[in-house]
Amino acid sequence: MKNQTYKIAIIGVGQLGSRHLQGLAKSSKEFRIYVIDPNENALILAKQRYEEVSKSTNSIVSYHQSMNDLPDNFDLAIIATTANARRKIIVDLLDKCSINYLILEKVVFQKSVDFKPIQNLLFEKNVKTWVNCTRRSFLFYKKLKKELGTDKLSIKVEGNNWGLASNSIHMIDLLAFLSEKNNFIFDTDGLENILISSKRNGFSELKGTLKIQTSRGDTLELKEKGKYDKNTKISISNDKMHFNIYETQNRVVKYILDKEAYADHIRIPFQSELTGSAIDQILDTGESDLTSYDECMKYHLPMLDALNTHISKVTGQTVTICPIT
């Protein structure tokens, strides 16, 4: 019996989108993949990266600069564009194509007002949608959640040049996953009154400290100093135990009552290792370990509002479009 061939679209194949494409090569399924990006150089790089890892795949990949080249139905689509273009792309894609499942990159949108109309559109079109906040899918964090139990948590993230503004949603999602709370209060008083240029052209970053608290008192403190250092530290603790996690070093150190209990090697997968299994799970079960659009929307909105209020203070102008991606 011939294996089923699933139709997949990837819209946007910059650095992250091309890694999604590589990840599909590691799936056990057969795909007909349509890759869309208006930038011809991005398509060339994506093709090179795919061919590096796709020696034995039975999938067929085609590369296009326009969504006009897409067929009228897909099993799943990944939208990995920058945030400023994402709402229009979703609208245009769902106007042209019937899609069962959708994965969106973060931050989902730059404007708070975009979330509800897209939520309504996804409901109307019956498109089950997740945001690619991946840590809750990692085996390490799943085990850590069981070990931490239901106690109130404190999380601190500290590093240099790790992208506080654009990557904070990943850490907020980790707090939501571990605490099972998603109502947050944001405190921007510790952020510096300066905007710095992001490594992505046309976008901005922030320095200083952003604090978040849940309705039961769990806390998240995000600190960015703005100098390059790849060794960002994530500290997670409750009243009984404390973990220092160094993801880039694949290392964790556990403390019990301030005494070191153990140091261990952990496995933090790359995006190119995650996409295949994530899509397999969705196609096989209709469910995903990723964060649902509806849940992620609950903390995207107050995050964007808090950052926009701070940026408005910095610039002296009313900001409603958060310049992050």
Side-chain angles (χ1 to χ4, degrees):
M1 180 177 176
K2 188 180 184 302
N3 291 336
Q4 179 175 354
T5 299
Y6 296 92
K7 280 198 284 189
I8 308 290
I10 301 180
I11 315 296
V13 282
Q15 291 298 319
L16 195 52
S18 63
R19 300 307 184 188
H20 282 299
L21 179 59
Q22 282 185 317
L24 286 175
K26 299 181 181 180
S27 167
S28 60
K29 301 187 185 304
E30 293 183 7
F31 298 119
R32 175 66 175 92
I33 305 169
Y34 292 79
V35 177
I36 306 294
D37 198 298
N39 186 328
E40 186 177 3
N41 290 330
L43 293 176
I44 292 171
L45 177 60
K47 186 175 187 220
Q48 289 173 346
R49 286 183 170 173
Y50 183 76
E51 290 176 350
E52 287 171 5
V53 298
S54 64
K55 306 302 182 186
S56 60
T57 182
N58 293 318
S59 296
I60 299 171
V61 185
S62 59
Y63 301 85
H64 310 271
Q65 290 181 272
S66 170
M67 287 200 296
N68 291 332
D69 295 333
L70 295 178
D72 59 6
N73 65 85
F74 283 93
D75 295 286
L76 185 146
I78 300 171
I79 299 183
T81 63
T82 50
N84 55 334
R86 194 165 289 121
R87 177 178 177 173
K88 183 178 189 308
I89 288 170
I90 294 172
V91 171
D92 290 348
L93 183 65
L94 295 185
D95 182 58
K96 176 176 177 50
C97 307
S98 171
I99 297 174
N100 296 329
Y101 304 111
L102 196 57
I103 296 175
L104 306 176
E105 273 303 333
K106 62 80 214 163
V107 287
V108 177
F109 306 116
Q110 294 181 315
K111 295 188 289 185
S112 297
V113 296
D114 287 345
F115 281 85
K116 190 65 178 178
I118 294 300
Q119 184 185 46
N120 292 337
L121 178 63
L122 296 171
F123 179 79
E124 174 192 331
K125 299 284 189 177
N126 194 29
V127 184
K128 207 165 185 178
T129 303
W130 296 271
V131 178
N132 193 41
C133 291
T134 56
R135 279 178 178 80
R136 60 174 63 206
S137 72
F138 293 179
L139 182 60
F140 168 72
Y141 285 114
K142 289 181 178 181
K143 290 181 176 178
L144 182 63
K145 180 176 180 176
K146 291 180 180 179
E147 194 164 359
L148 290 166
T150 59
D151 295 344
K152 189 163 58 177
L153 301 176
S154 172
I155 303 177
K156 294 182 180 180
V157 182
E158 182 173 359
N160 299 322
N161 201 33
W162 65 274
L164 183 153
S166 59
N167 288 318
S168 60
I169 195 67
H170 282 300
M171 299 303 167
I172 296 166
D173 185 76
L174 180 61
L175 174 62
F177 172 64
L178 294 176
S179 69
E180 297 188 351
K181 307 296 177 186
N182 54 34
N183 293 314
F184 300 129
I185 299 170
F186 287 77
D187 178 359
T188 60
D189 288 347
L191 291 175
E192 296 183 20
N193 291 325
I194 186 172
L195 283 180
I196 56 179
S197 296
S198 167
K199 62 183 179 181
R200 295 181 178 91
N201 188 38
F203 299 96
S204 299
E205 269 298 341
L206 297 169
K207 293 168 59 177
T209 302
L210 176 65
K211 295 181 179 180
I212 300 103
Q213 183 169 309
T214 72
S215 53
R216 78 166 179 178
D218 307 272
T219 59
L220 171 62
E221 183 177 296
L222 307 175
K223 186 172 291 187
E224 163 69 81
K225 296 177 182 178
K227 297 178 181 178
Y228 182 74
D229 178 2
K230 64 181 180 179
N231 297 320
T232 299
K233 180 174 76 172
I234 303 172
S235 300
I236 302 176
S237 58
N238 59 19
D239 289 339
K240 304 181 187 71
M241 63 193 76
H242 177 90
F243 298 84
N244 285 339
I245 302 156
Y246 305 89
E247 290 187 344
T248 56
Q249 300 175 15
N250 289 303
R251 185 167 69 94
V252 60
V253 182
K254 178 182 177 180
Y255 300 84
I256 298 177
L257 299 177
D258 296 327
K259 293 183 179 180
E260 184 174 327
Y262 67 75
D264 201 3
H265 178 83
I266 59 176
R267 183 74 180 92
I268 302 297
F270 296 110
Q271 186 62 62
S272 58
E273 300 172 275
L274 294 167
T275 302
S277 58
I279 289 182
D280 284 353
Q281 181 189 28
I282 291 171
L283 295 177
D284 287 341
T285 70
E287 302 296 334
S288 178
D289 288 338
L290 299 176
T291 313
S292 72
Y293 178 93
D294 290 348
E295 180 177 4
C296 215
M297 173 178 162
K298 290 179 180 177
Y299 34 92
H300 261 80
L301 292 174
M303 180 193 76
L304 290 175
D305 289 345
L307 294 181
N308 280 340
T309 298
H310 175 74
I311 295 169
S312 296
K313 182 176 69 173
V314 173
T315 61
Q317 301 176 333
T318 300
V319 174
T320 59
I321 303 175
C322 193
I324 64 175
T325 190

